Amino acid sequence: MTIVGDGLQTRDYIHVNDVVSANIKGMLYPDPLNGEVFNVGSGSNYSVLDIAKIMGGVYTYIPARDGEARDTLADTTKIKDKFNWRTTIPMKDWIERTYK
């Protein structure tokens, strides 16, 4: 596994099943959405290094990429309010169950 830069950049990881459930909520919403944009995320973030450590195994560092975002975190307020949507699968728990 490779880690870009120092691995301390953070990302809002989310399980694909939660992304699918958000899309289904939007698809089934009874009123027209007229191109509204909704952020889908877990609302929490982990560093790339945290994820690598949870997964275990050997990892190596490669040089940082110019222009890469240092931190990302989705503001999911709108999708929670409009669709009553919430994530159901904590990423850390899923990774630990899958890779341990």
Side-chain angles (χ1 to χ4, degrees):
M1 185 171 7
T2 57
I3 296 177
V4 177
D6 62 9
L8 299 179
Q9 61 274 30
T10 60
R11 300 289 179 263
D12 185 343
Y13 298 101
I14 183 170
H15 194 277
V16 66
N17 288 359
D18 284 330
V19 174
V20 170
S21 75
N23 279 281
I24 290 171
K25 287 270 193 178
M27 180 184 72
L28 296 176
Y29 194 72
D31 299 324
L33 295 172
N34 299 319
E36 284 188 61
V37 175
F38 295 86
N39 291 327
V40 177
S42 67
S44 60
N45 53 13
Y46 294 93
S47 75
V48 174
L49 187 57
D50 287 339
I51 298 297
K53 287 179 178 178
I54 293 168
M55 292 175 74
V58 177
Y59 52 87
T60 59
Y61 293 91
I62 61 173
R65 297 183 186 121
D66 289 339
E68 183 177 10
R70 186 69 181 166
D71 302 293
T72 63
L73 182 61
D75 178 355
T76 58
T77 304
K78 183 177 175 183
I79 195 168
K80 287 177 179 178
D81 291 347
K82 189 146 194 160
F83 298 156
N84 193 30
W85 175 85
R86 304 284 187 278
T87 57
T88 59
I89 303 168
M91 185 56 70
K92 183 179 179 195
D93 295 348
W94 180 83
I95 291 171
E96 286 175 342
R97 283 193 312 268
T98 303
Y99 290 95
K100 299 285 176 170

